[in-house]
Amino acid sequence: MGHNSRCAEATRPGCRCTGCGGAQHGWQGTFTIAAEPTGRRAREFADDREKDWQNKPKSLTVAQAAVGCALADIVGWLHREKALLEGAQEVTRPFDRRKDDPERGRLLREIENRLGPDRTKMFQGWAVDVHFWCELLAQAAHALESLRRVYRHGLQAVDVLLARARETAERLVLQVVDEHLGQPPGLGRQEVQTVIRLATGSLFETLPLAVRGALGADAIFEFIWPVRVLAVVMCKDPSKHEAVCQYCLDPICVFTRAKVRTEVRDRLLENLKREWLPLTAELSQQ
Ligand SMILES: [Zn+2]
Ligand SMILES: [Zn+2]
Ligand SMILES: [Zn+2]
């Protein structure tokens, strides 16, 4: 099935879009809701997710309804912090094919050039199935976070940091593919590695756009948040995706600026795997 507005504007779990492989899932709609200046649409979105929780439709699991409530808080956060929304939109650049801007969607075009249309389609069918694109974002956030811990010990140049983040993310994603996701039908490991390399390259290229100028290396780590937010919004079902929970949803839940409500954290802890939300679990015990 080709990518369409039902995928781009999805607000409930599930995606079978082989057109985008899940890379354009959900965020267009979510960011439009968050960007509405009065906050009316963000509040409506939150009300709908609360209704899903209070009076759960059969099509949702309790865990999915709980994640919906967290998404409502994330939409609220995107609405309050314009810089976060802009940052998250910046991170979508490699995946976005809507605009005529030649930079937008370059990654997807490069993949098509390398794999050809048929194998790209097979790759994207596999990608949506195994959560490939949200996994990639989650691992990128994880790579940046590990780097941030090391970075405290000394100053480093921006491009050195970015090159290391990229290498780390690439290695992590390849490891997940080898150990958990398996190969897409009709494609070899080498080709998967090529896609991963192109993708991490594009993703980390979007970072300097935001930090270019006099901001310095610390600004790179500010970028962890838009990457995390995009991973949670893009993921067709975070309740079933360990890396998105652990590296993105969990830190967001305990981040003061995100203002995720206590009751939402409790709903998540009661209905998702607790070990996927270690920081949230720790906070609830204090
Ligand atoms: Zn799609
Ligand atoms: Zn979709
Ligand atoms: Zn996912």
Side-chain angles (χ1 to χ4, degrees):
M1 190 188 77
H3 177 71
N4 59 28
S5 62
R6 278 184 58 183
C7 175
E9 291 162 20
T11 50
R12 279 185 170 163
C15 178
R16 308 182 73 165
C17 181
T18 53
C20 73
Q24 296 181 71
H25 181 81
W27 49 261
Q28 195 184 320
T30 306
F31 292 166
T32 308
I33 291 170
E36 193 275 316
T38 68
R40 178 184 57 83
R41 292 198 64 192
R43 281 192 301 277
E44 280 170 7
F45 180 81
D47 289 347
D48 288 345
R49 302 290 79 78
E50 188 63 27
K51 273 181 215 152
D52 281 350
W53 171 261
Q54 299 293 346
N55 198 358
K56 193 184 70 59
K58 277 207 183 82
S59 57
L60 291 182
T61 66
V62 195
Q64 288 170 338
V67 169
C69 301
L71 265 171
D73 288 345
I74 291 173
V75 167
W77 183 25
L78 285 164
H79 177 73
R80 287 192 306 276
E81 288 192 22
K82 206 161 176 267
L84 178 72
L85 181 59
E86 282 167 1
Q89 275 161 337
E90 204 58 60
V91 186
T92 67
R93 280 174 77 94
F95 312 111
D96 189 355
R97 300 190 81 159
R98 284 173 300 156
K99 304 261 173 63
D100 294 332
D101 178 352
E103 279 306 302
R104 289 210 166 252
R106 201 184 68 193
L107 169 63
L108 299 173
R109 283 194 299 275
E110 276 176 357
I111 293 173
E112 258 177 36
N113 289 342
R114 293 288 182 97
L115 301 185
D118 290 347
R119 279 184 305 165
T120 300
K121 218 171 158 188
M122 279 196 263
F123 180 85
Q124 292 291 48
W126 170 83
V128 69
D129 207 35
V130 302
H131 291 247
F132 175 80
W133 294 108
C134 34
E135 178 77 28
L136 187 113
L137 286 172
Q139 295 296 349
H142 181 41
L144 281 168
E145 177 65 34
S146 353
L147 210 59
R148 190 176 63 82
R149 297 203 183 142
V150 185
Y151 171 71
R152 286 185 182 165
H153 301 296
L155 291 171
Q156 274 163 329
V158 174
D159 22 338
V160 176
L161 282 172
L162 283 172
R164 280 186 56 194
R166 179 197 165 155
E167 278 162 28
T168 311
E170 200 180 301
R171 183 170 45 75
L172 291 169
V173 178
L174 195 63
Q175 197 179 332
V176 173
V177 170
D178 285 342
E179 288 171 12
H180 303 287
L181 307 185
Q183 302 289 319
L187 278 85
R189 185 176 187 273
Q190 195 64 43
E191 289 165 307
V192 177
Q193 193 170 5
T194 302
V195 175
I196 294 171
R197 192 162 291 158
L198 288 172
T200 50
S202 291
L203 187 63
F204 285 103
E205 265 171 32
T206 69
L207 303 194
L209 288 175
V211 299
R212 204 169 278 159
L215 286 171
D218 282 322
I220 290 177
F221 302 115
E222 247 322 275
F223 230 78
I224 298 177
W225 295 109
V227 172
R228 282 175 173 153
V229 164
L230 181 63
V232 177
V233 172
M234 180 191 285
C235 181
K236 62 176 179 172
D237 188 357
S239 76
K240 295 199 180 84
H241 194 162
E242 180 174 1
V244 166
C245 280
Q246 194 173 345
Y247 303 136
C248 305
L249 185 60
D250 188 40
I252 289 172
C253 279
V254 300
F255 189 47
T256 329
R257 265 161 52 197
K259 296 189 185 167
V260 173
R261 292 160 286 167
T262 312
E263 67 262 33
V264 172
R265 287 200 295 260
D266 291 343
R267 289 169 191 175
L268 292 170
L269 285 174
E270 278 159 25
N271 297 290
L272 273 70
K273 289 188 185 161
R274 254 182 119 83
E275 61 269 30
W276 289 6
L277 301 164
L279 303 171
T280 312
E282 200 187 304
L283 184 68
S284 82
Q285 271 158 9
Q286 283 170 9

